[in-house]
Amino acid sequence: MTLTQAVIARTNDLLIERKMTKKQLAKAANLSEGTLASIYKQLAKSITLATLQSICNGFGMSMIEFLDCSYFKQPNLTENTREQVR
């Protein structure tokens, strides 16, 4: 699993848990829907800390809370590369 995939999986879990749509998250996070779409389509090479903080803000949680899940505790979590994303 790549870091981007882990962020997507965690975001999906929180969207379901909080009964939110991606559009609602984008608005709450003060991000464009296009930014979220590029993350979900894994078009961006990486997610910046600023974008991750915005997503956390949209969920009303700290970055520590966001990262405190099994997705980010995997020993084989890898960085994103073009080869992995394709």
Side-chain angles (χ1 to χ4, degrees), residues 3 5-7 13 30 32 39-41 43 45 50 58-60 62 66-68 71 73 77-78 86:
L3 289 168
Q5 290 167 337
V7 170
D13 290 349
N30 200 27
S32 72
I39 291 169
Y40 270 84
K41 292 177 185 176
L43 297 175
K45 289 175 72 175
F59 284 124
S62 71
F66 184 89
L67 296 173
D68 187 21
Y71 301 122
K73 295 176 183 174
L77 192 62
T78 61
R86 289 183 180 177

Side-chain angles (χ1 to χ4, degrees), residues 14-25:
L14 291 167
L15 287 172
I16 292 166
E17 178 183 306
R18 295 167 187 230
K19 296 178 173 64
M20 291 176 74
T21 64
K22 291 178 196 169
K23 184 175 185 172
Q24 290 170 324
L25 174 59

Side-chain angles (χ1 to χ4, degrees), residues 68-80:
D68 187 21
C69 74
S70 61
Y71 301 122
F72 299 101
K73 295 176 183 174
Q74 295 183 29
N76 59 346
L77 192 62
T78 61
E79 291 184 43
N80 302 333

Side-chain angles (χ1 to χ4, degrees), residues 50-66:
T51 299
L52 182 58
Q53 183 62 60
S54 293
I55 291 169
C56 294
N57 292 345
F59 284 124
M61 64 192 327
S62 71
M63 199 176 298
I64 296 296
E65 291 172 301
F66 184 89

